[in-house]
Amino acid sequence: MSETQNKPKLSFWQIWNMSFGFLGIQFGFALQGGFMSRIFQTLGADKETIPLLWIAAPLTGLIVQPIVGYLSDRTWHPKFGRRRPFFLIGAILSTIALFFAPYSSALWIAAGSLWVLDASINISMEPFRALVADKLPDSQRSYGFVVQTLIIGIGTWIASNLPWLMTQIGIPNTAEPGVVPDTVKFAFAVGAVVLFSSILYTILTTEEYPPADLESFEKEKKESRGFFTGFKEIFRNIANMPEVMRKLGLVQFFSWFAFFTMWSFATPAITEHVFHATDTSSVEYNNAADSVGNYLGTYGLVSMFFALILAFVTSKVKINRKLVHMFSLIAGGCGFILIYFIREPWMLHLCFALVGIAWASILSMPYAMLSSSVNPNQMGVYMGIFNMFIVIPQIVAAIGGINFMYKLLFGEEVIFTMLLAGTSLIIAGLCNLLITNRAATHDG
């Protein structure tokens, strides 16, 4: 009997508690993804340079994630567990970064704040992914990752709407040129509080399983200790990654290229194409930017409901993960493409509803497929390595991939970035057809 088969099934609320910290993590990501480009523009960044200002974040993730995963695999404390120490470290650093990011007085400070924020969130994020695989038998993996996605959807929707909500209660959403509006500052402060408190809740309510053979675990850790030994082991795991992981990597590349394009360009593209607002210090632009945050919140809200449906389905029947992921990504691609053709702003809700279906699947199905394909004792490091397929497309996009591709394929207008995002997401969906391992594509 395998290790995953020996694990007891957990209730919905046990899975909810151990995943609740993702509410705060997603607050951080949603505020970062929805409003850092707005902060960059407020501080004088040109639309063409925005992706470059984002580059430090994925570069950091490329380095941090495998190291954190490797270290968490080798960590065990009778009281604090394996993954929870990394939750706490990431929470403290992320909270500090969220508080100070909107007070940046220059572009280089804002870019540095984004770098620190992304690195700090990464310290917590992949250990959360690994925790689901640590705690759940294979038959509950899809269910567990979908519950995480449900929590992420709630966080995305609330966080994306925070600046709009602040405006509704009377907080100014405009400021002097070069100064970030108070609505954004208050939203980031709320995000910091939610991030820390939600991760602390998971730490206090979740226990972890010790290694199956603690004596062998300590012996192996002692024999493989050392800085360079760790790096060699990480590179060895990269070279020997399972075939399923390589194929999923292709799906991830096009998926995350699409979403990085959205995070970088949704605000300038939609404020210009739909609302015809280009002056970043004007009331019209800031109202439009608040509205974009509201529409972005739709994809979080829909991802929440889609995850809720998937949670119900996966708790009752076994699913084909590959087909669910393929059709979800294609739906999201169509949503991005439709942004170019809409005539009324309210239609953006329909576009981002389709994007939300893709987002729910991106945050659950690849991890369910991966966790059924790797050694349970190396779950953390492989979750960290898998992050390479998230950050590499972001790096490619940031160093000119977006600007080159949308102009080459579609034209000069910034709205064409959404057509590029849609095309990339549809390609990602079709790449799922390459995955043929039944253990990965079907629930155990």
Side-chain angles (χ1 to χ4, degrees), residues 157 160-161 164 262 270 274-275 288 290-303 305 331-332 334-336 338-340 342-357:
W157 179 68
S160 297
N161 281 286
W164 173 83
M262 180 192 75
I270 294 173
V274 178
F275 294 95
D290 283 348
S291 296
V292 172
N294 181 256
Y295 295 123
L296 287 172
T298 298
Y299 89 81
L301 183 64
V302 171
S303 73
F305 282 112
C334 293
F336 278 129
L338 286 173
I339 293 173
Y340 176 76
I342 66 166
R343 292 293 177 264
E344 297 293 336
W346 67 266
M347 294 179 179
L348 287 168
H349 285 300
L350 302 179
C351 299
F352 282 109
L354 292 172
V355 173
I357 293 173

Side-chain angles (χ1 to χ4, degrees), residues 301-430:
L301 183 64
V302 171
S303 73
M304 177 182 68
F305 282 112
F306 188 61
L308 191 61
I309 294 169
L310 282 178
F312 176 78
V313 171
T314 53
S315 70
K316 303 295 183 182
V317 298
K318 296 179 181 180
I319 63 169
N320 187 318
R321 299 161 176 169
K322 176 177 74 174
L323 293 182
V324 169
H325 198 40
M326 181 177 72
F327 288 116
S328 298
L329 294 181
I330 291 173
C334 293
F336 278 129
I337 292 170
L338 286 173
I339 293 173
Y340 176 76
F341 296 100
I342 66 166
R343 292 293 177 264
E344 297 293 336
W346 67 266
M347 294 179 179
L348 287 168
H349 285 300
L350 302 179
C351 299
F352 282 109
L354 292 172
V355 173
I357 293 173
W359 186 237
S361 190
I362 286 171
L363 296 175
S364 54
M365 292 300 110
Y367 297 98
M369 286 190 270
L370 175 68
S371 65
S372 299
S373 309
V374 301
N375 183 343
N377 295 324
Q378 297 175 308
M379 193 63 68
V381 69
Y382 272 120
M383 286 290 179
I385 292 170
F386 194 53
N387 188 64
M388 292 170 53
F389 299 116
I390 295 175
V391 299
I392 289 174
Q394 294 181 55
I395 293 168
V396 171
I399 62 176
I402 298 175
N403 288 326
F404 174 76
M405 291 303 297
Y406 89 80
K407 292 176 182 177
L408 175 68
L409 295 176
F410 304 108
E412 295 287 330
E413 295 181 41
V414 69
I415 189 60
F416 290 139
T417 56
M418 298 299 99
L419 297 184
L420 176 63
T423 302
S424 182
L425 210 49
I426 290 172
I427 293 172
L430 296 175

